[in-house]
Structure formats: structure tokens, C-alpha cells
């Protein structure tokens, strides 16, 4: 589908299909930017993966008593290199001086990690072609 496009344009179209594409609408009076266009379902799936797998760190090892042994955000890093880079990216965006951010900053961290996840998926698909 994206074989005839250069890689940068193909990545932009892939992000659009994933619901993470940005559009800019200009008129004579205003310049507005819509941050998300495309598939709501795909964006929802990417967001849920970020919240459940990346943010929560579901790859944590359990100690015999049942609780997780992760004490800092970096303690529960996943095993694969791609998942590891996503987790590190998330932690650098979502934590400031050891405390988790909240509100708009947390939303921005989740959205940025979703975009990073879409780029990671695209690169894996691009290399398979």
C-alpha cells in the first residue's frame, strides 16, 4: 500500500490511518490545528496499549508474596528492545523529578507515546516489506 511512497510520506499516512494524523486548516482570519484525525478505533487501541502495557509496566516480575518488585519507573522495563524503548520514552515524558505528572502533561505524555508506538509499528512493517 505504501510501497510507491517515500518513507517519510508513508509514515505520515500510516499515522493518519492510526488516528494520530495532524491537519492544519487555514483561512483568511484563523489558523487552526486539529491534533487528531483518522481512525478513532485505531487511536483507542494504541492509547489502551500505552495505558495498560507501557504505563502500568505489565512486564513486571512478581515476587512470591504477590506484589510487584518494581520500586521506581525504570525497575519494570520490558524485555524486547522496542518495548524497552517505549517504556523509557514514557518514563522520560511522564515523570518530572521522580514524581508522575498529572493533567494536561500526563495526557501529552500518553499522546506522544502513542505516536512513538505508531512509528515503531510502521518501522517494523516497513522493514518487513
Amino acid at each position: 500500500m505504501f510501497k510507491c511512497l517515500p518513507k517519510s510520506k508513508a509514515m505520515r499516512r500510516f499515522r493518519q490511518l492510526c488516528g494520530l494524523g495532524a491537519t492544519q486548516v487555514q483561512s483568511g482570519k484563523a489558523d487552526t490545528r486539529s491534533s487528531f484525525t483518522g481512525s478513532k478505533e485505531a487511536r483507542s487501541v494504541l492509547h489502551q496499549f500505552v495505558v495498560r502495557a507501557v504505563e502500568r509496566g505489565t512486564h513486571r516480575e512478581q515476587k512470591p508474596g504477590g506484589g510487584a518488585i518494581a520500586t521506581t519507573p525504570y525497575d519494570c522495563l520490558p524485555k524486547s528492545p522496542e518495548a524497552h524503548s517505549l517504556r523509557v520514552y514514557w518514563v522520560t515524558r511522564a515523570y518530572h523529578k521522580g514524581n508522575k505528572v498529572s493533567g494536561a502533561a500526563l495526557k501529552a505524555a500518553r499522546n506522544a507515546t502513542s505516536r512513538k508506538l505508531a512509528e515503531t509499528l510502521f518501522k517494523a512493517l516497513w522493514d518487513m516489506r
Side-chain angles (χ1 to χ4, degrees):
M1 178 171 162
F2 298 115
K3 290 179 182 180
C4 60
L5 296 173
K7 189 175 181 179
S8 61
K9 286 186 181 183
M11 184 179 288
R12 282 197 304 262
R13 288 214 182 153
F14 184 76
R15 269 188 280 179
Q16 180 80 28
L17 289 172
C18 289
L20 299 169
T23 59
Q24 189 170 7
V25 179
Q26 294 179 345
S27 68
K29 297 180 182 178
D31 182 18
T32 60
R33 184 176 172 98
S34 172
S35 60
F36 294 123
T37 59
S39 171
K40 291 179 185 178
E41 291 83 12
R43 182 172 56 244
S44 177
V45 168
L46 291 173
H47 179 75
Q48 286 300 315
F49 182 82
V50 167
V51 170
R52 291 177 179 244
V54 178
E55 183 176 346
R56 290 184 185 171
T58 56
H59 303 285
R60 293 183 248 187
E61 296 181 19
Q62 300 291 324
K63 58 184 175 181
I69 34 180
T71 56
T72 67
Y74 289 102
D75 286 345
C76 52
L77 293 172
K79 305 291 186 259
S80 73
E82 294 84 8
H84 177 80
S85 66
L86 277 173
R87 178 69 182 172
V88 169
Y89 186 78
W90 160 254
V91 169
T92 57
R93 294 291 303 241
Y95 285 85
H96 180 69
K97 296 182 181 177
N99 298 321
K100 190 172 183 180
V101 295
S102 61
L106 182 61
K107 184 178 179 182
R110 287 179 178 150
N111 290 338
T113 308
S114 293
R115 284 191 303 274
K116 181 82 167 175
L117 175 61
E119 289 174 7
T120 304
L121 288 171
F122 174 79
K123 288 176 185 174
L125 292 172
W126 187 266
D127 292 340
M128 285 177 32
R129 63 178 183 108

